[in-house]
């Protein structure tokens, strides 16, 4: 029985990590870790899925920042007697409530109050009865935050010969 115990004790000592064996063990672990952390080759489907996920996350981050455009904007114009305002309120879900007004002496008077939806992170579109408004969120500059509006078609809510196109400053 003593011989068996001594034999098992010797086997245990030889199998335990000590001295040179410990260095070899560490080297083996480093190789195992390097192999485990090396990325596997992506299939085309996996790569497409990864790219789509990254784009979605980027868009979501950009859309979360849209509420910074909330507020009242004034039309930047040199036309005497022309006054225009734009009020924006981000509702989430890529939608803005807006109120757009323009008045120029006795030449024109118009107002649209509705919602528009973002089609990309910096662009929103509004369409109704032949009138289209493109909202271009241009960011902040020395003059303030700028939203540029381009009108396409005739808006029936505008009485007179004016259009809502212009740069609106916050």
């Amino acid at each position: 029985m003593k011989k068996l115990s001594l034999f098992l004790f010797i086997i245990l000592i030889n199998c335990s990590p000590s001295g040179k064996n410990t260095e070899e063990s560490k080297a083996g672990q480093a190789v195992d870790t390097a192999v485990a952390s090396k990325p596997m080759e992506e299939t085309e489907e996996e790569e497409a899925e990864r790219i789509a996920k990254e784009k979605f996350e980027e868009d979501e981050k950009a859309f979360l920042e849209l509420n910074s455009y909330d507020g009242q904007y004034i039309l930047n114009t040199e036309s005497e007697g022309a006054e225009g305002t734009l009020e924006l309120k981000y509702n989430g879900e890529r939608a803005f409530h807006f109120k757009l007004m323009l008045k120029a002496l006795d030449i024109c008077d118009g107002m649209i109050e509705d919602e528009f939806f973002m089609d990309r992170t910096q662009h929103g579109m509004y369409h109704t009865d032949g009138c289209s408004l493109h909202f271009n969120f241009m960011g902040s500059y020395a003059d303030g935050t700028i939203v540029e509006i381009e009108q396409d078609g005739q808006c029936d809510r505008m009485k007179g010969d004016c259009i809502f196109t212009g740069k609106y400053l916050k």
Side-chain angles (χ1 to χ4, degrees), residues 3 9 14 20 33 44 46-47 51-52 57 61 63-64 68 70 84 94 103 105 113 116 121 139 142 144 147 165 169:
K3 288 182 183 180
F9 179 72
N14 286 334
K20 185 178 175 185
T33 303
E44 285 183 27
E46 290 170 332
E47 181 182 21
I51 291 170
E57 289 170 353
K61 182 180 177 188
F63 285 122
L64 288 174
S68 67
D70 285 359
R94 303 177 184 182
K103 183 174 179 80
L105 301 172
E113 186 169 3
F116 68 87
T121 56
V147 175
T165 296
L169 305 174

Side-chain angles (χ1 to χ4, degrees), residues 86-102:
L86 169 65
E87 293 176 25
L88 291 175
K89 176 67 178 153
Y90 186 57
N91 297 337
E93 298 300 314
R94 303 177 184 182
F96 275 92
H97 177 82
F98 76 98
K99 184 175 183 179
L100 180 60
M101 297 186 300
L102 180 65

Side-chain angles (χ1 to χ4, degrees), residues 125-157:
M125 298 299 290
Y126 171 79
H127 303 284
T128 185
D129 301 328
C131 174
S132 295
L133 299 175
H134 173 218
F135 293 81
N136 185 8
F137 291 75
M138 303 193 57
S140 296
Y141 295 92
D143 295 336
T145 304
I146 300 173
V147 175
E148 186 175 53
I149 298 176
E150 295 176 29
Q151 178 180 324
D152 186 30
Q154 185 61 35
C155 295
D156 62 355
R157 297 186 193 167

